[in-house]
């Protein structure tokens, strides 16, 4: 079961880290930073090219959603599949119905022309607006801009099994120590290329 929306990820290259960091730091508070954090093996298939390590900066704000700045050696510049506008997460897709079904499995509920997630651990509701497009857009983690959404689950193994049985691509659950906490992480890829990170602890 999804119990919390954790963050939306924003990727950039090492060359642009300082500029992008300063851009977010004007609006957000820095919670923590990790340098040379290894990439779990399951992420490699979600890259345009292999990246062994990354830097990570977690930003928070009382007015918006937490943002994880993820810094890789290099990044591509295809059109991002995600955006953050006016406290809404915008996601682009070639099939609105299929993307909506995928996020319903994450706990989102349709409300008019948006989908909403409410959890006991989030102070604010998460609003997702799905925009159908015929254009191609990014479906990898090492692309400039917003690329994935991360959620906490109270049982990552059960969540992964459920999504795998529904036909979604899932990575193995792997351990990673972030901010001095041992986390259990896997990634799920929707049928329109949506990337979701599932996080849990034991």
């Amino acid at each position: 079961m999804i119990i919390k929306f954790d963050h939306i990820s924003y990727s950039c290259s090492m060359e642009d880290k300082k500029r992008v960091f300063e851009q977010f730091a004007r609006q957000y508070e820095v919670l923590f930073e990790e340098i040379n954090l290894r990439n779990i093996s399951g992420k490699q298939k979600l890259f345009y090219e292999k990246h062994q390590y990354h830097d990570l900066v977690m930003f928070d704000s009382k007015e918006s959603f937490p943002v994880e700045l993820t810094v890789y050696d290099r990044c591509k510049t295809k059109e991002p599949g995600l955006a953050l506008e006016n406290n809404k997460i915008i996601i682009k897709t070639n099939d609105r119905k299929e993307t909506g079904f995928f996020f319903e499995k994450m706990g989102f509920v349709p409300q008019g022309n948006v989908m909403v997630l409410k959890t006991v651990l989030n102070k604010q509701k998460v609003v997702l607006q799905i925009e159908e497009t015929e254009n191609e857009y990014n479906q990898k983690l090492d692309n400039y801009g917003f690329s994935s959404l991360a959620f906490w689950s109270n049982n990552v193994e059960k969540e992964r099994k459920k999504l795998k049985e529904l036909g979604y691509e899932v990575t193995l659950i792997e351990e990673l120590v972030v901010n001095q906490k041992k986390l259990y992480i896997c990634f799920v890829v929707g049928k329109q290329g949506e990337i979701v990170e599932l996080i849990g602890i034991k």
Side-chain angles (χ1 to χ4, degrees):
M1 176 180 168
I2 299 298
I3 58 173
K4 183 184 180 183
F5 171 74
D6 191 69
H7 65 265
I8 179 171
S9 292
Y10 187 101
S11 302
C12 77
S13 67
M14 198 64 71
E15 181 182 7
D16 282 338
K17 179 181 178 180
K18 184 175 184 294
R19 178 182 62 81
V20 178
F21 177 93
E22 290 174 349
Q23 174 185 321
F24 279 110
R26 295 189 196 107
Q27 306 173 53
Y28 292 81
E29 172 191 358
V30 177
L31 294 183
F32 63 87
E33 182 175 8
E34 295 276 1
I35 304 295
N36 286 331
L37 190 66
R38 72 174 175 87
N39 285 308
I40 59 176
S41 61
K43 286 179 72 174
Q44 298 301 330
K45 64 179 69 175
L46 305 177
F47 291 142
Y48 287 112
E49 58 182 280
K50 187 174 181 179
H51 301 278
Q52 190 171 2
Y53 298 99
H54 67 287
D55 290 356
L56 180 159
V57 185
M58 185 64 76
F59 291 98
D60 197 14
S61 168
K62 294 180 181 177
E63 286 76 38
S64 188
F65 303 117
V67 173
E68 178 188 276
L69 173 60
T70 314
V71 186
Y72 300 106
D73 296 331
R74 294 163 301 280
C75 279
K76 299 289 185 181
T77 55
K78 291 186 70 174
E79 181 183 358
L82 290 173
L84 189 55
E85 298 175 6
N86 301 319
N87 287 336
K88 282 193 297 189
I89 297 169
I90 313 296
I91 184 163
K92 298 172 186 175
T93 178
N94 297 143
D95 188 331
R96 192 179 194 282
K97 183 177 179 181
E98 180 61 57
T99 295
F101 181 77
F102 178 63
F103 282 101
E104 280 186 36
K105 300 308 164 188
M106 301 296 154
F108 283 84
V109 176
Q111 288 189 8
N113 64 343
V114 298
M115 301 188 74
V116 176
L117 174 69
K118 296 180 181 177
T119 76
V120 293
L121 297 180
N122 285 115
K123 296 178 182 178
Q124 60 179 326
K125 62 184 180 182
V126 182
V127 180
L128 185 69
Q129 182 173 314
I130 302 172
E131 295 184 352
E132 189 164 284
T133 174
E134 295 181 357
N135 299 332
E136 289 188 8
Y137 50 90
N138 167 64
Q139 297 179 333
K140 298 292 183 180
L141 295 175
D142 55 345
N143 186 75
Y144 276 99
F146 292 107
S147 60
S148 66
L149 303 177
F151 301 87
W152 280 86
S153 171
N154 62 354
N155 191 324
V156 173
E157 291 182 5
K158 186 175 181 181
E159 200 76 33
R160 177 186 179 277
K161 182 181 178 182
K162 176 190 78 174
L163 293 164
K164 184 178 181 180
E165 288 175 349
L166 286 169
Y168 295 110
E169 180 184 348
V170 295
T171 68
L172 296 175
I173 297 171
E174 300 176 70
E175 294 181 13
L176 188 65
V177 177
V178 180
N179 196 28
Q180 301 179 342
K181 296 174 184 167
K182 183 185 285 188
L183 305 180
Y184 294 84
I185 297 170
C186 72
F187 285 86
V188 184
V189 182
K191 295 178 182 178
Q192 293 299 308
E194 312 91 341
I195 301 176
V196 163
E197 178 181 0
L198 297 178
I199 308 168
I201 57 175
K202 286 189 179 179

